[in-house]
Amino acid sequence: MHNRVDKLCEKLHDNEAVLISGYPNIFYYSGFTSEDAYLLISHDTRIIVTDSRYTIQAKEQAKGFDLIDIKDGFEKIFSKTNAKYIGYEENVMSVREYKRLRTNLRANQDFVEMQNIINEQRKIKDAGEIKKIAEAEKIGDAAFSYVLKEIRAGKTEREIALLIEFFMKKQGASALSFDTIAASGKRSAMPHGVATNKLIENGDFLTLDFGCVFEGYCSDMTRTVVVGKADERQKEIYNIVLRAQTEAINEVREGVKCSAVDAIARDIIKNSGYGDNFGHGLGHSVGIEIHEAPSFAPKCSETVKNGYIMSVEPGIYIDGFGGVRIEDLIAVENGKALNLTHSSKELIEL
Ligand SMILES: [Mn+2]
């Protein structure tokens, strides 16, 4: 944690501090696992602010930080640094909180927005982070092979989602990365169709998109199966998505443009006649949060770097018919792509 704080300070001028108020960055920089806290970090300050519910926990987890009780007030907290500019997280702080905290600044201090500076180093995952995400993804793989034996016509999407969720928690997951998507039949045309009480029917596509949190880090994977026998159109769509996904993964390596990886998959889908049926980006980074920067998207100007963990998840969605998405998590190590997802991508008919 300390080198992360040091690295952040390298980006701050002598007269700048940051006030971190969102869980992901509080966890990243201090190891503290509750969101009811603030970190004040500058060249002369390492402070964690929380309340009496978390005092013991903060002392144990946020080593190297001085603890201040929030009851002491922000006037005292802001007086602990000589910094003139206090950077805040604009994605996190509410307008109300901003207004309230601002009245506690010293006369010569002011707030400035610093979300990107605070988030920047989280793009590159260290070996320990990659290991945790790989472990989380392994739990997802195990959940998928387990649930395959349970999927059949007559069960609801919700039942299948719950089985996946219970299994992942039993395997050591502390939480879900997001609400499990289990979208069957026509509902599979909704890229984010969370599980409902719809009965799974024979001939349905069933898209399962799920992930869990392991030691603070998220996993994410998607598989689409057919319940019963796949028809010709289902096979056609599935194979286009699979080819787009596989060829995009083959392009992932250090130095390649994120937009170029997106283009590989997008062009394959477009040239197969389904360009209008793939509306979302190809992928996103995953870490403490399920959606992190950068992304594989047409407008992303970044290049792939070692330490990036990215999803690759093209899809084809046809209103009134159904849809297919296939998603793996890829880690970039030693310049090369390493697939963290091991579940089969052959079309599974159940
Ligand atoms: Mn995803």
Side-chain angles (χ1 to χ4, degrees), residues 178 192 209 220-222 284 286 290-291 311 313 325 327:
F178 54 90
H192 274 196
D209 183 352
D220 194 1
M221 64 178 283
T222 307
H284 54 91
V286 171
I290 185 62
H291 292 123
S311 74
E313 48 178 312
R325 180 170 61 261
E327 173 182 29

